[in-house]
């Protein structure tokens, strides 16, 4: 039997285990990268592990999220990340260089490699034919300290592309929106999406990267494209042709399932509030008035895209009542636009150009007003993520966004009578790595600088034999890590300070949560009840560390999102699943539960008896932890457990 691309790359990196879906496999990782909002914790944990230098061939510390410097916290974090990277042998990408995923694609991603990133959109690198997986910060720290990355082998789903996109108005963004419409935000769980078919060659590397970037919204482990002539072309244009290798699946490779997409049949689509899978064709919303448009981010920031956007805006004005914000994904792109004179078309239209950073995507500036409609070429539109839970955020392709900005309303771009250039892929990008600081050899003398907001990582006590705790919150399906640990301008700067950030856990859902959790902690802690796909979205481990700090002992859900489940385990919170879904309905917020024989069940059958003292009702839940994960929970978390392996 032949092999698919995933099997080929996993096989070449396998340290232990086998490639049977659902069983643990340990992988050797070639590249690790962090960003500032998750990176401070990652690097603090790396320091706590206590080794002298990173043990992976390449690590990069990026700064892209926390860019607004309204007090000392963000700049202090930047300096910490710069000095810690220098001390332990990582590259440092200086603020201003751009968004991690975009830069990584331009300067480091390479076919056949495995990269691990502490941000859920790390799969962007899949557009390059590499396995790029997102993980929590502590997992990344462990890998940088020399451990393999362990994952339960995902199933590999084939996405077969045929035909060609109807450019200019249908873009790669519409391809992934179409897939999201078909599979929904849970559709990729436990899977890697492997793209193939004659339609692949229609897409450039940056278009492929848009698709793999937003594959994160499917809950998939990652997505990957073959590495072909177009990959070679892109690498050559980035001055890195020597890093190219061809990668295809064998003709007789096997897949768990197949999804066929005819690129010709895709029309311009839009995701409505408040979920990236709430999709309709743009034409169905024709005439809707809008207030804000945002273009850029790590999803849609290629030179070709921005050039097309410029061609739409050229000689026109942003409509009255609309604010157009543009956050270019990288300095390379920004500098190229400027040197080629293309920025003037954008500036001339009245667009507000932001620095190369995440910006409005994560509510770090650029929030829409109350009741306002914001349309973005970004990847997430969860309620409140823009910094305003009373705003309505839609997601659409960047060229459609530019059309809306000019027209002041939603309109099918094909009916707009505007024209957009379909630019050719550059054969040479502007290469200027002056904002990337290279690692040095002798670094022991380097002092790591920590501002007063940077606090130690808290750790948990190992579990006792019994958990007796209050149900502090009962939630529905698809709760995001943005719901658990909100971001935005006020909260993001607290990412290096768990006691302070823990005040905001579930803040947008119930702003008394943190206070109530502290009260319950004295009485043995608390439990959270949730529906399907708990913890989807961002990889932020703060959504596990802060609840752990507040005394959460377990989460009982119908199912979990992969990264969040690992993060819970890493911080000693037991992820438990209902055995009978109907039991979910029988629990109410405020009930007091007893989970008996925790350790015995954990190491044995992984089935646990739960007694609801308030309702006088018993039910059963289970965990699905592998041996390593059981050990982690028994130690109180990965940080306590890891030292055993490293020293
Ligand atoms: C996001 O898009 O949600 C973020 C902000 O980039 C996060 C990371 C974070 O919360 O720091 C992600 O995608 O993992
Ligand atoms: Fe930044 Fe948004 Fe991309 Fe997350 S999704 S890395 S916040 S641009």
């Amino acid at each position: 039997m032949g092999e698919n691309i995933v099997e080929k790359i996993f096989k070449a990196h396998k340290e232990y285990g086998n490639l049977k879906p659902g069983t643990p496999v340990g992988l050797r990782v070639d590249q690790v990268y962090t960003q500032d909002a998750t990176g401070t914790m990652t690097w603090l944990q790396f320091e706590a592990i206590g080794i002298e230098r990173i043990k992976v061939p390449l690590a990069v510390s990026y700064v892209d999220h926390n860019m607004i410097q309204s007090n000392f916290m963000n700049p202090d974090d930047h300096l910490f990340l710069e000095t810690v990277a220098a001390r332990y042998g990582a590259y440092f990408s200086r603020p201003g260089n751009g968004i991690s995923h975009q830069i990584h694609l331009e300067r480091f991603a390479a076919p056949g490699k495995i990269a691990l990133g502490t941000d859920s959109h790390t799969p962007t690198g899949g557009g390059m034919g590499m396995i790029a997986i997102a993980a929590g910060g502590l997992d990344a720290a462990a890998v940088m300290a020399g451990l393999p990355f362990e994952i339960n082998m995902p199933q590999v789903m084939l996405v077969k592309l045929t035909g060609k996109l109807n450019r200019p108005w249908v873009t790669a963004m519409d391809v992934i929106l179409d897939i999201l419409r078909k599979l929904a935000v849970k559709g990729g769980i436990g899977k890697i999406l492997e793209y193939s078919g004659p339609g692949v060659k229609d897409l450039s590397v940056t278009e492929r990267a848009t698709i793999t970037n937003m594959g994160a919204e499917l809950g998939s482990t990652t997505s990957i494209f073959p590495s072909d002539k177009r990959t070679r072309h892109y690498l050559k244009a980035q001055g890195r042709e020597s890093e190219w290798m061809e990668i295809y699946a064998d003709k007789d490779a096997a897949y768990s399932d197949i999804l066929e997409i005819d690129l010709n049949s895709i029309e311009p689509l839009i995701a409505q509030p408040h979920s990236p899978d709430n999709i309709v064709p743009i034409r169905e919303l024709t005439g809707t008035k809008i207030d804000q448009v945002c273009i850029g981010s790590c999803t849609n920031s290629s030179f070709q895209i921005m050039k097309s956007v410029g061609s739409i805006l050229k000689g026109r004005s942003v409509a009255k009542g609309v604010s157009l914000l543009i956050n270019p994904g990288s300095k390379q792109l920004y500098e190229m636009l400027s040197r080629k004179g293309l920025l003037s078309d954008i500036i001339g239209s009245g667009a507000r150009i932001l620095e190369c950073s995440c910006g409005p995507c994560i509510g770090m500036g650029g929030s829409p007003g109350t009741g306002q409609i914001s349309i973005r070429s970004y990847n997430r539109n969860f309620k409140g993520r823009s910094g305003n839970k009373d705003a309505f955020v839609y997601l659409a392709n960047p060229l459609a966004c530019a059309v809306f900005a000019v027209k002041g309303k939603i309109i099918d771009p094909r009916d707009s009578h505007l024209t957009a250039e379909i630019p050719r892929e550059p054969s040479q990008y502007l290469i200027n790595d002056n904002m990337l600081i290279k690692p040095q050899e002798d670094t022991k003398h380097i002092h790591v600088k920590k501002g007063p907001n940077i606090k130690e990582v808290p750790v948990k006590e190992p579990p006792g034999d019994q958990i007796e705790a209050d149900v502090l919150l009962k939630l529905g399906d698809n709760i995001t890590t943005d719901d658990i640990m909100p971001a935005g301008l006020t909260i993001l700067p607290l990412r290096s300070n768990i006691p302070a950030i823990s005040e905001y856990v579930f803040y947008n859902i119930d702003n008394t949560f943190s206070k109530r959790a502290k009260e319950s902690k004295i009485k043995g802690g608390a439990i959270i009840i949730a529906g399907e796909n708990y913890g989807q979205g961002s990889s932020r481990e703060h959504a596990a560390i802060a609840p752990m700090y507040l005394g959460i002992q377990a989460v009982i859900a119908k199912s979990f999102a992969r990264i969040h489940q690992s993060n819970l385990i890493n911080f000693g919170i037991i992820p438990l699943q209902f055995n009978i879904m109907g039991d979910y309905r029988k629990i109410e917020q405020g009930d007091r539960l007893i989970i008996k024989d925790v350790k015995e069940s954990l190491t044995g059958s992984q089935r646990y008896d739960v007694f609801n003292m308030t309702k006088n009702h018993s039910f059963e839940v289970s965990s699905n932890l592998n041996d390593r994960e059981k050990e982690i929970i028994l130690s109180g978390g990965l940080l306590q457990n890891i030292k055993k392996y490293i020293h």
Side-chain angles (χ1 to χ4, degrees):
M1 170 89 74
E3 287 172 326
N4 57 44
I5 298 175
V6 175
E7 285 165 341
K8 287 186 184 186
I9 301 180
F10 272 44
K11 206 163 138 192
H13 289 81
K14 197 178 74 163
E15 297 258 309
Y16 59 84
N18 59 48
L19 304 186
K20 198 168 141 261
T23 62
V25 50
L27 300 169
R28 190 170 33 75
V29 170
D30 304 302
Q31 311 183 341
V32 174
Y33 69 94
T34 62
Q35 42 89 335
D36 51 344
T38 52
T40 52
M41 270 300 133
T42 312
W43 286 101
L44 285 168
Q45 293 170 136
F46 179 82
E47 266 196 315
I49 295 171
I51 65 161
E52 278 303 326
R53 198 177 168 89
I54 55 159
K55 292 194 177 155
V56 281
L58 176 104
V60 191
S61 164
Y62 291 98
V63 176
D64 50 11
H65 285 64
N66 289 350
M67 296 285 283
I68 293 185
Q69 300 176 203
S70 60
N71 59 33
F72 63 95
M73 296 181 196
N74 290 344
D76 280 4
D77 279 357
H78 301 170
L79 188 61
F80 166 66
L81 290 168
E82 176 170 352
T83 51
V84 86
R87 168 66 186 82
Y88 294 108
Y91 275 87
F92 179 66
S93 169
R94 294 167 61 191
N97 202 27
I99 305 176
S100 67
H101 310 302
Q102 176 76 22
I103 305 170
H104 209 80
L105 187 75
E106 292 167 357
R107 307 307 303 141
F108 297 108
K113 300 248 187 258
I114 294 191
L116 197 67
T118 63
D119 186 287
S120 63
H121 292 104
T122 303
T124 311
M128 181 70 92
M130 94 172 181
I131 292 285
I133 301 182
L138 185 48
D139 281 325
V143 167
M144 290 199 287
L147 291 187
F149 175 61
E150 188 178 293
I151 186 166
N152 285 339
M153 183 67 198
Q155 292 190 319
V156 185
M157 174 176 183
L158 175 69
V159 185
K160 194 169 170 209
L161 303 178
T162 55
K164 272 175 179 259
L165 287 178
N166 287 308
R167 295 183 174 82
W169 300 121
V170 180
T171 79
M173 174 83 165
D174 299 295
V175 178
I176 186 66
L177 289 176
D178 188 55
I179 297 174
L180 264 154
R181 178 159 67 148
K182 294 184 169 123
L183 300 182
V185 290
K186 296 192 295 240
I189 292 182
K191 292 181 182 168
I192 296 181
L193 271 61
E194 182 173 310
Y195 288 83
S196 155
V200 165
K201 63 175 183 310
D202 185 48
L203 302 168
S204 64
V205 165
T206 53
E207 288 176 316
R208 296 172 189 180
T210 293
I211 295 171
T212 59
N213 169 287
M214 234 183 135
E217 274 49 74
L218 296 160
S220 54
T221 304
T222 189
S223 307
I224 188 164
F225 272 83
S227 168
D228 57 8
K229 284 197 194 117
R230 297 204 71 162
T231 322
R232 182 179 205 159
H233 175 93
Y234 180 79
L235 277 170
K236 186 168 181 218
Q238 288 287 358
R240 302 200 285 127
E241 194 181 5
S242 61
E243 294 172 51
W244 180 75
M245 66 188 266
E246 189 173 60
I247 309 179
Y248 281 110
D250 293 335
K251 288 223 158 51
D252 53 347
Y255 296 90
S256 63
D257 30 13
I258 300 178
L259 176 69
E260 291 209 22
I261 305 275
D262 173 10
L263 298 178
N264 293 306
S265 72
I266 299 179
E267 61 174 320
L269 297 169
I270 188 163
Q272 307 174 94
H274 297 282
S275 180
D277 62 357
N278 185 13
I279 292 166
V280 292
I282 288 183
R283 62 186 155 73
E284 286 186 17
L285 301 184
T286 300
T288 310
K289 296 270 298 152
I290 59 167
D291 304 285
Q292 185 190 58
V293 174
C294 302
I295 299 176
S297 89
C298 65
T299 316
N300 278 299
S301 272
S302 68
F303 177 72
Q304 294 99 294
I305 284 177
M306 288 297 176
K307 196 171 173 198
S308 294
V309 165
S311 73
I312 298 167
L313 298 177
K314 187 173 183 170
R316 302 202 159 80
S317 290
V318 173
K320 196 159 161 274
V322 175
S323 191
L324 170 61
L325 304 169
I326 297 190
N327 59 330
S330 72
K331 182 177 80 81
Q332 178 184 79
L333 154 76
Y334 200 11
E335 195 180 345
M336 270 176 87
L337 287 174
S338 165
R339 289 196 188 278
K340 291 187 187 287
L342 299 167
L343 213 47
S344 22
D345 297 334
I346 300 178
I347 298 173
S349 72
R352 297 163 59 180
I353 305 192
L354 308 171
E355 60 183 326
C356 303
S357 71
C358 299
C361 179
I362 191 60
M364 191 43 85
S367 296
T370 309
Q372 289 193 348
I373 291 187
S374 173
I375 317 233
R376 303 172 163 208
S377 74
Y378 301 169
N379 50 33
R380 287 187 176 145
N381 60 344
F382 305 144
K383 192 171 185 155
R385 180 180 165 93
S386 64
N388 184 354
K389 62 179 165 62
D390 299 316
F392 299 90
V393 178
Y394 294 69
L395 310 172
N397 87 49
L399 307 196
C401 283
V403 169
F404 304 158
V406 169
K407 298 282 181 186
K409 59 180 183 195
I410 298 180
I411 173 172
D412 188 324
R414 295 170 299 185
D415 302 334
S416 66
H417 303 297
L418 296 178
T419 51
E421 191 181 315
I422 308 177
R424 284 162 62 98
E425 217 186 321
S427 52
Q428 178 66 59
Y429 284 94
L430 189 153
I431 296 159
N432 176 1
D433 288 333
N434 61 339
M435 298 296 274
L436 273 173
I437 303 180
K438 287 204 180 87
Q440 304 295 314
E441 273 317 313
D442 180 17
T443 59
K444 289 214 173 90
H445 62 282
I446 293 175
H447 172 61
V448 177
K449 296 192 181 133
K450 290 186 192 141
N453 185 47
I454 302 180
K455 303 278 192 254
E456 298 237 317
V457 189
V459 290
K460 188 176 177 300
E461 289 289 312
D465 267 335
Q466 177 167 306
I467 295 175
E468 184 183 329
D470 299 324
V471 173
L472 216 55
L473 202 59
K474 182 173 174 185
L475 301 152
D477 293 344
N478 295 324
I479 290 295
T480 69
T481 44
D482 275 82
D483 293 323
I484 306 170
M485 190 69 263
L489 187 54
T490 321
I491 307 176
L492 269 173
L494 304 174
R495 285 283 180 96
S496 317
N497 183 341
I498 298 297
I501 205 168
S502 69
E503 300 288 327
Y504 295 94
V505 174
F506 287 115
Y507 198 77
N508 291 333
I509 292 182
D510 174 356
N511 61 13
T512 67
F513 181 86
S514 156
K515 186 168 160 283
R516 293 192 296 116
K518 283 184 198 148
E519 286 158 13
S520 292
K521 193 173 178 183
I522 306 162
K523 299 186 287 158
I527 290 177
I528 290 166
I529 304 290
E532 303 272 9
N533 198 21
Y534 179 72
Q536 67 154 333
S538 156
S539 64
R540 62 190 72 152
E541 61 189 346
H542 300 74
I545 314 180
M548 176 276 279
Y549 178 79
L550 292 176
I552 305 304
Q553 302 291 330
V555 179
I556 308 180
K558 291 185 183 166
S559 65
F560 291 89
R562 174 188 67 91
I563 307 173
H564 188 59
Q565 158 140 334
S566 300
N567 284 336
L568 288 173
I569 297 167
N570 285 350
F571 293 94
I573 299 180
I574 316 181
L576 297 168
Q577 270 160 269
F578 288 100
N579 283 357
I580 298 174
M581 294 306 152
D583 287 329
Y584 167 85
R585 267 186 286 114
K586 296 183 186 150
I587 307 179
E588 276 180 297
Q589 196 161 308
D591 288 356
R592 195 155 175 83
L593 308 183
I594 298 185
I595 310 178
K596 295 182 202 135
D597 304 322
V598 173
K599 285 202 236 170
E600 202 185 307
S601 307
L602 182 83
T603 47
S605 65
Q606 297 213 59
R607 297 170 89 92
Y608 309 69
D609 288 321
V610 188
F611 179 60
N612 185 334
M613 294 163 78
T614 318
K615 300 273 176 340
N616 197 12
H617 164 247
S618 294
F619 61 99
E620 208 186 53
V621 297
S622 50
S623 56
N624 60 354
L625 311 181
N626 61 36
D627 290 344
R628 176 174 170 266
E629 293 170 330
K630 289 180 193 168
E631 243 191 65
I632 294 173
I633 295 272
L634 289 173
S635 316
L638 178 58
L639 204 52
Q640 296 89 306
N641 174 266
I642 199 174
K643 298 197 177 147
K644 237 178 22 209
Y645 295 96
I646 305 279
H647 298 287

